[in-house]
Amino acid sequence: MTEITALLPPLVPQIAVVQGASRGLGLAFARLLAEGGARVFATCRRPDRAEALAALAQRHADLTVLPLDVTDESSIVMAARAVAREVPCVDLVLNCAGLLHADDQQPERRLRAVRPELFARSFAVNAIGPLLVARELEPLLMRSANGLFAALSARVGSIADNRLGGWYAYRASKAALNMLVKTLSIEWARHTPPITCLALHPGTVATDLSKPFLNGSERRVFAPEVAARRLLAIVGAATPAQTGSLVAWNGETLPW
Ligand SMILES: NC(=O)c1ccc[n+]([C@@H]2O[C@H](COP(=O)([O-])OP(=O)(O)OC[C@H]3O[C@@H](n4cnc5c(N)ncnc54)[C@H](OP(=O)(O)O)[C@@H]3O)[C@@H](O)[C@H]2O)c1
């Protein structure tokens, strides 16, 4: 993708749900979609602590903040019901919540560091959560003429592309997410009109998730707005023929 393409405004769907919008890429997606005129439902697990998102909602009457913790199934059900009370369909669902490290848990550099707790949390947030979001928003996506479900994955979740090793829980949970997106794409391709499913790799983005691991040697690190704009251009141009693939920020289809 050229720099000129990166400057193009994103193609904006009419009604979007951004899951995991308190900060980082999710917040950037919510901002770009709201500024583009979309009706946006931005979810996060603690709206009372999501100050930047609350400020965004103050500026955009068409942006609604809803509580949703992907590890709490009932909160996903409640959020989907709240969306259904407001709109007849959803055109775009963007799953952004992701876990690489927590205060008490760092990604594993070697086998000795593997802990079941980090595995369980990583799978809950990175893989099972987006699938439950898909399950609960399915009826609304099915009523859209161009429904698209996207999940922020990562190149490190590609089995074929794994050259460095390490990060067992994150890699495995993103590989699981990729499989779930692929599996969902097969089921939803049978629907009329089909719902397109994509796993997205945003590149390396300067957020809280990547910060501890940036050492200045990276070839490129994107600002969240830049990465989100590029991915929205990809999502806006996506066709049902692309469903079930892992697409990077530059439009490249990555191997599973
Ligand atoms: N940054 C990168 O370089 C990079 C590269 C490849 C892929 N990605 C992927 O891109 C996505 C966004 O990452 P980011 O860089 O924007 O990360 P980030 O700045 O660390 O934000 C992570 C988001 O996930 C939310 N979250 C965590 N656990 C949650 C839960 N149980 N329920 C709901 N939300 C939860 C956080 O909410 P709270 O504010 O409540 O904690 C926050 O909004 C992730 O899936 C990540 O794996 C990022």
Side-chain angles (χ1 to χ4, degrees):
M1 187 178 287
T2 64
E3 287 309 310
I4 293 171
T5 318
L7 296 174
L8 289 173
L11 299 167
V12 175
Q14 288 187 325
I15 306 173
V17 174
V18 182
Q19 184 278 110
S22 60
R23 52 197 167 92
L25 278 157
L27 179 63
F29 279 124
R31 179 179 294 129
L32 286 171
L33 287 163
E35 286 172 356
R39 175 81 175 93
V40 182
F41 296 90
T43 76
C44 64
R45 54 182 169 169
R46 291 293 304 264
D48 55 320
R49 292 189 191 163
E51 286 155 20
L53 184 58
L56 188 65
Q58 287 283 326
R59 296 199 298 278
H60 294 279
D62 274 350
L63 187 147
T64 303
V65 179
L66 296 170
L68 189 162
D69 181 330
V70 282
T71 63
D72 174 0
E73 192 175 356
S74 65
S75 80
I76 304 174
V77 173
M78 299 292 278
R81 279 189 197 152
V83 176
R85 280 196 293 273
E86 297 286 321
V87 291
C89 67
V90 167
D91 304 308
L92 172 67
V93 177
L94 276 170
N95 280 280
C96 303
L99 176 70
L100 170 61
H101 57 90
D103 289 344
D104 51 342
Q105 284 169 326
Q106 293 304 311
E108 319 87 339
R109 287 187 166 175
R110 58 186 68 84
L111 181 60
R112 281 253 143 243
V114 167
R115 298 285 176 274
E117 301 78 32
L118 181 61
F119 253 82
R121 283 171 74 177
S122 301
F123 270 75
V125 175
N126 296 343
I128 302 165
L131 191 67
L132 296 177
V133 170
R135 188 189 72 190
E136 294 308 316
L137 290 174
E138 180 183 53
L140 289 167
L141 273 168
M142 283 187 168
R143 281 185 222 124
S144 168
N146 298 297
L148 194 143
F149 177 90
L152 271 286
S153 183
R155 183 188 279 269
V156 298
S158 164
I159 293 173
D161 191 70
N162 187 354
R163 281 167 282 189
L164 289 175
W167 291 15
Y168 285 84
Y170 188 69
R171 280 185 192 279
S173 61
K174 291 295 189 182
L177 172 66
N178 292 347
M179 176 58 94
L180 296 175
V181 167
K182 176 76 184 177
T183 304
L184 191 54
S185 76
I186 292 167
E187 181 170 339
W188 280 356
R190 300 185 192 121
H191 184 261
T192 312
I195 301 165
T196 304
C197 295
L198 295 177
L200 299 172
H201 168 58
T204 303
V205 186
T207 64
D208 296 334
L209 181 135
S210 63
K211 205 180 289 170
F213 310 99
L214 299 178
N215 59 19
S217 69
E218 297 78 16
R219 264 204 311 146
R220 50 175 101 74
V221 180
F222 299 122
E225 278 70 23
V226 172
R229 189 173 286 271
R230 285 174 183 270
L231 292 179
L232 279 179
I234 286 168
V235 159
T239 65
Q242 281 175 287
T243 198
S245 48
L246 169 62
V247 184
W249 57 274
N250 59 356
E252 183 190 353
T253 299
L254 300 176
W256 293 123

